[in-house]
Amino acid sequence: MSAKGSRSKVPNESVQVIVRCRPISQKEKAERNEIVTTIFPSRGVVEIASSENKENRKVFTYDAVYDYQATQKNVYSEVVRPLVGSVLDGFNGCIFAYGQTGTGKTYTMEGTPSSEEQMGVIPRTFEQIWSHIDRTRNSNFLVEVSYLEIYMEELRDLLQPGTKSLELREKEKVGVYVPNLHSVCCKSAEDMLRVMVQGNKNRTVGFTNMNEHSSRSHAIFIIKIEMCDIETNIIKVGKLNLIDLAGSERQSKTGATADRLKEASKINLALSSLGNVISALAEDSPHVPYRDSKLTRLLQDSLGGNSKTIMVANIGPSVLNYNETLTTLRYASRAKKIQNKPIKNEDPQDAKLKEYQEEIQRLKNLLAQRNTIERVPSAMATSRTKKPKKQRSEITVEDIEGDTCEEEEPQFVKEDAKTKEQLEREKKTTAELAAKLGELEGQLIRGGKSILDTYTERQLELEKKLEEISERKRREVEIQQKLELEEETTLEIRETVTSLEQEVDIKTRKLNKCYGKYLALQQEMTDTKFDHNQDLRELEMTQNELVKELKKLLLIIDNFVPLEVKNRLYTQAKYDEEQEEWKLSPTDFKNDAGNSKRPVSNPKNRRPISDFALQKAKKNESSAIRFRNENIMKYELDMPCRTTCEYKSPKISASLQAVLAEAMKTEDDIDIGSTNRQSLRSRLDRIIDANTKRG
Ligand SMILES: Nc1ncnc2c1ncn2[C@@H]1O[C@H](COP(=O)(O)OP(=O)(O)OP(=O)(O)O)[C@@H](O)[C@H]1O
């Protein structure tokens, strides 16, 4: 349907999703099936959890949710009425019911039309449309309805059953449409209801375990309302699709037979492609698979296009439907993300109303002309009897079909008869035109029929109030949802704070532990330092002792050892680092000239052979060799001048004793760096150095 204005400037509008949960059925009650859904209408929330899997509770939020207590009137006035109002303002609208078999799709869409309480969305829509038309003055309306079903991927006209399957076409500006779809012009709500009932009789239904009278096809009731403001001559067109889809359950549950399964696979194809379209739109995918099924092609405008759309997701409360309910809730949740761009359809080129109005005008003009022409010949005929000649010359109307003024006076009587005949013909044509005009005008409904009496005024007021109430309710749910969202955020922040607090707690504990360790280490360090100091002190004391000893020895050497021995000692004494002791190296047998002083054997000096050795030698015993030692070294020993036996402890004079005492005098605290000890050390170092070099 063509529409004015650029689409890019049109604000997006989400598909409105509502969930309706039917009451528990008698069968479910008898079987004592567990109820798994909880509905929170004031928050727009549905929760689903089975007792088996309580932990895995799932929560979904929608634009509105209704439990078993919600009446048909509630659902209609709160959700559908505003949408039908938009359709009456020239928008496209779509309401479709989705859900498992037996969850109340048909109940929601149709209900029981004869009952004021039980009538569903479609009959209520009829009432709203006609009460609007009746109240709208200065407008012409043209209301048409069509009814079709998609059964096993075939389009069937429910208002002309038996006709061959319909095709789908797509036209730019018009979108997807069904050529040759029969439409019925309606003049009242009753007319529309009659059409709906007639169409329903032609619907394909089947029996399944889940619902005795189950809809096996997708039924689409289309209402097209064209309206024209008489003053401004602006035409608006509103189109409303009311769709009752086939059950979405998995076929294994339905107890379907082979034929039914084949049928089901096609129904499922349409529904699964509907699911794919919803997913693609929700994910903003570049490709939306509308072409996968006839259903999705027909819904192209309603999902992601030029339409205001409501999805009613019907669910059951019982555990038996747990999986299907969850699937429906997920579907519905995804559909919430779909964005449409509804545009008011103003002044469309293909509006029938325009055609009708032009045709009516044309017919009116034609009739007006005919009336003039008819009046002239009849006046002519009357006047001719009185003053035939004079009046005749005045007739100059050229438009009159078959009417000629060529004939002359002598044939006057003949002419009269002809004119009468012609007049009759003209009258007949005019009557036909008038009938056609009447028929066309009959199709057009002039709004504002009902006079605004006190009753209708009150009704109008009541409807306004209802609208206000539903608007408020909608806002309340919105605010509640926002509040919950904020609460969630606060909770998250609180959780974060709690987790931060916990972190702080853990870190404080860690810190305390570390501090404890630090204190223990510090204590250990103090202990180690103390031990170290003690060791140091002990070492210093030992060193003191050693230094004392060394001093004593050096004093002894200096004072009691002969100079040459002392020198020899100095040269021969070597400190063995490994064994940590002084060792005397072997005597150096070199003389002053540097020649070896190694003793040489004296050939004259022969050791006498003992008798024993002689005897052995005589016997030629091998052991005799042991007693043969002729090469005796001549080694001149430096014999000491005195022996220790001759040593007598010297008499130490008093002065020497004083010197000794002075020499051995040590301080209590021996400082290793003191000059006294320094000299001792340097003296020792010198001796060691000299020995090392020599070695
Ligand atoms: N909200 C409700 N209140 C009372 N009864 C309901 C409600 N919803 C459904 N029902 C009842 O449940 C039964 C099944 O409903 P309905 O036939 O509408 O289901 P359905 O989803 O259209 O099934 P199918 O897909 O097979 O056509 C009907 O008897 C109907 O009256």
Side-chain angles (χ1 to χ4, degrees), residues 342-391:
I343 318 167
K344 207 184 260 193
N345 302 307
E346 273 181 335
D347 270 343
Q349 293 311 303
D350 58 344
K352 266 193 188 170
L353 191 76
K354 202 173 180 176
E355 263 176 49
Y356 278 27
Q357 278 182 335
E358 282 169 4
E359 182 64 9
I360 287 168
Q361 199 51 52
R362 197 183 68 84
L363 287 172
K364 273 185 178 167
N365 290 345
L366 211 62
L367 274 171
Q369 279 177 359
R370 284 193 174 278
N371 283 339
T372 330
I373 293 162
E374 273 168 23
R375 247 182 276 123
V376 174
S378 56
M380 215 170 68
T382 343
S383 61
R384 207 182 281 143
T385 45
K386 291 172 189 170
K387 300 170 191 169
K389 209 165 181 183
K390 198 185 170 188
Q391 292 293 321

Side-chain angles (χ1 to χ4, degrees), residues 20-23 25 67-70 72 99-109 112 118 203 206 208 210-216 244-249 314-315:
R20 189 177 193 186
C21 185
R22 69 156 166 74
S25 70
D67 58 12
Y68 69 97
Q69 285 176 314
Q72 299 277 55
Q100 189 190 357
T101 283
T103 47
K105 296 183 293 295
T106 312
Y107 180 82
T108 301
M109 293 309 287
T112 316
Q118 298 293 309
R203 268 195 82 178
T208 69
M210 307 212 80
N211 194 355
E212 260 190 29
H213 187 103
S214 181
S215 20
R216 313 301 305 148
D244 182 2
L245 294 173
S248 65
E249 66 285 342
N314 290 94
I315 55 169

Side-chain angles (χ1 to χ4, degrees), residues 79-88 93-95 240 308-310:
V79 185
V80 187
R81 184 175 283 280
L83 179 103
V84 177
S86 296
V87 172
L88 288 165
C94 174
I95 303 160
L240 181 61
K308 288 176 180 257
T309 302
I310 297 172

